[in-house]
């Protein structure tokens, strides 16, 4: 994380990326969003920005 920054580190390590549940007020965990009727953002969209 320190050498790559969080976005690059998550792009390169899928298991690390799966630990990201929210970013900038957006929910990235689809099962949580579905269970509570909350719209979610695809993880790939968060990592692309």
């Amino acid at each position: 994380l320190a050498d790559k920054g969080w976005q690059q580190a998550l792009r390169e390590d899928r298991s690390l990326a799966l630990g990201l549940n929210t970013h900038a007020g957006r929910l990235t965990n689809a099962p949580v969003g579905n269970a509570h009727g909350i719209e979610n953002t695809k993880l790939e969209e968060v990592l692309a920005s």
Side-chain angles (χ1 to χ4, degrees), residues 22-45:
T22 64
H23 172 66
R26 297 185 296 179
L27 180 67
T28 59
N29 187 311
V32 171
N34 294 338
H36 296 283
I38 302 170
E39 183 178 341
N40 61 70
T41 302
K42 291 184 179 181
L43 180 60
E44 292 76 20
E45 291 179 33

